[in-house]
Amino acid sequence: METKFLQNNMDDIKTAGEILKNGGLVGIPTETVYGLAANALNSEAVEKIFKAKGRPQDNPLIVHISDLSEIDDLVSYVPPVVYELADVFWPGPLTIILEKSDLIPSVVSGGLDTVAIRMPSHPVARQIIKAAGVPLAAPSANTSGMPSPTTVEHVMHDMDGKIDAVLDGGPCEFGVESTVITLCTRKPRLLRPGGITPEELEEILCDLEIDKAVLSELEDNEVAASPGMKYKHYSPKAEVFVVEGNSEDFAEYVNTISKEEKGIFALVFTEDESLVNCEKISFGKKEDNLAHASKLFAALREFDELGAKKVYVHSPEYDGVGLAVMNRLLRSAGHKIIKL
Ligand code: TXA
Ligand code: MG
């Protein structure tokens, strides 16, 4: 199949809407990462998403809406707190899990009786949903296991020839996926950290719990609250290690290894650049969590292009959006942390 390359203009947005309405797949920009969209109410269309990504069938998808009124038909009940959350965080990078209605096909919910709903803030994403006239199921538009795509080139790299079209909306603003919370547990629970921080959510959800899988590895016998958390994720071909320590210790550590081994790369802060001698990519100033988030996935993909065998990442802090960055990093590193 030839993948159509659509631009950010009203004609092409309309074309994307038509393709989706007719059961096709379109790579769409959002403020977090690019999504691989299909009509959420059409099982056959949604099945194609799993095929194109090579995604396990039990990993449910997020349903994207363009207006709050669209939620009523998709869930069995809207708890009042959803309106409070929507008021502050929608449109934006927050996904809310609720009990699903019969309208949601089980292929979307991965067989669960819940559904994840999000209203993206990227104007083009909402225009495409409106043009399609239906809610859109969309996981990140990467091959399963790869880092999520933050540019249209990343989407083409993974999906060219496998999907009907992709629409270029420029690079994504946040660069890590949305924050996922569930309101279907006894207390509201954070399943995946993202652009909206736990501190921000606690302003409304004062009893928010953080799921154990956010920062630690699940044991073999533990059930993942979010099926996506049990799979290997965000992994480039290179082996990734997270290294905790100050700039001097980090630099000495990677400089020593790179003298002995080939293919050693580092993901560093601006402050480390002059100290680290091996090949490196910088993901921003040490304190700048938002820069780390927006550059992380592109950097992981670039290491593969450069032929990296091992990548040592200078560990960011866990606060604010840093929690989302650490969550992705720990998964891409298979939880290998080196403490200096
Ligand atoms: O920012 C984002 O959320 C992007 C853009 C495209 O919107 N989408 C995205 O989708 O990251 P995906 O499929 O890559 O990640 C969705 C995560 C998965 O970990 C999945 O297991 C979880 O949300 N999830 C979806 N529905 C769920 C449900 N009903 N219960 C528990 N977890 C669910
Ligand atoms: Mg994903």
Side-chain angles (χ1 to χ4, degrees):
M1 153 188 328
E2 196 195 327
T3 300
K4 266 201 194 106
F5 197 92
L6 303 173
Q7 303 290 345
N8 179 3
N9 61 56
M10 276 336 275
D11 279 349
D12 282 9
I13 287 171
K14 222 174 117 200
T15 305
E18 288 297 323
I19 295 172
L20 290 161
K21 210 179 291 177
N22 295 325
L25 300 187
V26 182
I28 65 165
T30 85
E31 73 280 17
T32 56
V33 300
Y34 273 76
L36 181 50
N39 176 351
L41 308 180
N42 176 340
S43 305
E44 267 170 52
V46 173
E47 269 158 25
K48 293 188 215 161
I49 294 180
F50 287 85
K51 215 164 151 216
K53 279 184 62 97
R55 181 177 175 105
Q57 288 286 342
D58 67 346
N59 194 1
L61 307 178
I62 296 173
V63 175
H64 297 70
I65 58 175
S66 63
D67 188 272
L68 191 53
S69 60
E70 295 160 35
I71 200 173
D72 295 335
D73 291 341
L74 307 176
V75 305
S76 64
Y77 166 68
V78 187
V81 73
V82 169
Y83 295 106
E84 282 180 64
L85 290 165
D87 206 34
V88 180
F89 301 114
W90 277 358
L94 175 67
T95 296
I96 306 177
I97 296 173
L98 297 163
E99 306 285 341
K100 80 177 195 71
S101 75
D102 294 340
L103 213 58
I104 299 287
S106 75
V107 57
V108 170
S109 63
L112 301 173
D113 48 21
T114 55
V115 63
I117 311 273
R118 144 162 151 80
M119 191 199 297
S121 64
H122 199 304
V124 176
R126 288 207 311 285
Q127 282 165 349
I128 294 172
I129 302 168
K130 282 211 175 79
V134 286
L136 299 179
S140 49
N142 51 289
T143 301
S144 261
M146 286 282 287
S148 298
T150 56
T151 67
V152 76
E153 288 79 21
H154 298 159
V155 180
M156 284 304 270
H157 178 275
D158 286 15
M159 293 298 153
D160 194 11
K162 297 183 181 169
I163 63 176
D164 299 281
V166 60
L167 194 142
D168 184 0
C172 301
E173 181 193 341
F174 280 99
V176 291
E177 305 87 343
S178 62
T179 302
V180 178
I181 58 167
T182 177
L183 299 180
C184 299
T185 40
R186 203 168 53 83
K187 288 184 180 170
R189 177 176 288 237
L190 178 85
L191 301 183
R192 180 176 74 180
I196 307 293
T197 65
E199 295 79 11
E200 288 174 293
L201 288 168
E202 276 159 3
E203 296 278 318
I204 294 171
L205 302 170
C206 50
D207 51 352
L208 181 73
E209 295 179 337
I210 312 269
D211 198 81
K212 179 182 172 231
V214 166
L215 286 177
S216 36
E217 211 169 359
L218 287 174
E219 306 289 334
D220 286 345
N221 57 357
E222 283 179 296
V223 177
S226 174
M229 289 195 291
K230 72 182 177 217
Y231 297 108
K232 193 170 180 218
H233 249 103
Y234 318 116
S235 309
K237 293 193 197 85
E239 193 176 3
V240 178
F241 302 83
V242 176
V243 184
E244 289 179 357
N246 64 31
S247 287
E248 287 72 24
D249 292 346
F250 175 79
E252 196 190 320
Y253 184 78
V254 292
N255 290 346
T256 308
I257 298 177
S258 65
K259 261 188 231 146
E260 292 158 6
E261 277 180 62
K262 284 209 165 62
I264 302 298
F265 285 69
L267 184 56
V268 304
F269 301 128
T270 315
E271 293 88 333
D272 307 329
E273 277 180 60
S274 61
L275 303 170
V276 170
N277 303 329
C278 67
E279 290 200 74
K280 56 194 170 258
I281 297 177
S282 169
F283 68 166
K285 287 212 176 93
K286 191 170 189 305
E287 303 296 324
D288 194 351
N289 288 332
L290 285 171
H292 308 157
S294 77
K295 292 191 181 132
L296 178 66
F297 289 142
L300 290 176
R301 282 176 179 260
E302 204 180 327
F303 285 121
D304 275 351
E305 310 267 298
L306 296 169
K309 294 212 165 54
K310 290 184 183 169
V311 174
Y312 293 87
V313 182
H314 198 176
S315 171
E317 301 295 333
Y318 292 66
D319 59 324
V321 176
L323 186 67
V325 176
M326 276 310 292
N327 168 274
R328 307 314 188 268
L329 267 177
L330 288 173
R331 277 179 173 64
S332 77
H335 291 269
K336 292 189 294 293
I337 307 182
I338 297 162
K339 296 184 200 270
L340 299 178

